[in-house]
Amino acid sequence: PVAVVASGAPAPGSPARPAPPKAVQLAVVYRDRAEGGDGYAAVKGADDGYYLNRVRLEATVTATPWMRGFAQVQDAETIGYDTAPAAPATHVNRFDLRQGYVELGRTGKAGVTARVGRQEFIFGEQRLMGGGDWNNTARAFDAARVSAFRPGVKLDAFVASVVAVTPAGVD
């Protein structure tokens, strides 16, 4: 994966300036890979190789030290997939909102934060729950989450629903 991040940071060699109270960060993340295999459909001639690519556009807006918003749109495509009538939803999701949430509270500090909207969950190194980013589309959840932090301890409470990927429509 390749990530390009643009923010309000000063250019190298320019005088340092204080960070603005409101900041916008933009990012583009691109990933591609080729896959191939034998016997996918156990039908003669159904062996296949294909190419997956994914582009994500991200924006983070920090309004105050305790309030930020995040939006991520994704275009995931498959080229040359012809072993089935259509590529599965784990491979294709044409330009759609993958994440979009508002977060209140100071992340990473002792206290409480709340996040509401479409988001990723990663618990237990994705063994318990995760986005499955190895898939071309990856998984997201429509959720409300409250997290409490203390040094060495984090407690999360949430209610969530997995977003069903609709390859050619709005999720």
Side-chain angles (χ1 to χ4, degrees):
V2 176
V4 178
V5 178
S7 68
S14 67
R17 61 178 185 233
K22 298 178 183 179
V24 176
Q25 291 183 324
L26 303 173
V28 176
V29 181
Y30 178 77
R31 183 181 85 172
D32 66 329
R33 73 176 188 246
E35 291 188 357
D38 294 324
Y40 283 168
V43 174
K44 186 174 180 166
D47 300 334
D48 198 19
Y50 51 91
Y51 176 75
L52 301 167
N53 72 330
R54 177 176 78 195
V55 177
R56 291 180 178 167
L57 307 174
E58 302 175 352
T60 304
V61 178
T62 304
T64 68
W66 53 269
M67 180 171 46
R68 73 181 186 108
F70 178 76
Q72 180 186 66
V73 293
Q74 168 179 271
D75 183 58
E77 301 284 343
T78 302
I79 299 168
Y81 190 98
D82 59 3
T83 60
T90 56
H91 288 13
V92 178
N93 191 11
R94 293 186 177 87
F95 202 72
D96 210 344
L97 177 69
R98 181 164 179 279
Q99 294 189 78
Y101 59 81
V102 174
E103 187 169 53
L104 303 173
R106 294 178 185 258
T107 58
K109 298 190 176 212
V112 176
T113 63
R115 181 187 290 180
V116 177
R118 187 165 290 181
Q119 56 194 283
E120 278 186 327
F121 280 140
I122 297 176
F123 291 108
E125 297 179 351
Q126 297 196 55
R127 290 183 184 94
L128 180 61
M129 180 184 287
D133 208 33
W134 53 84
N135 286 328
N136 204 37
T137 58
R139 185 169 45 186
F141 300 84
D142 287 332
R145 175 180 181 174
V146 176
S147 302
F149 302 89
R150 291 193 62 191
V153 178
K154 180 181 176 189
L155 177 66
D156 290 293
F158 60 88
V159 59
S161 175
V162 175
V163 175
V165 174
T166 306
V170 177
D171 296 348

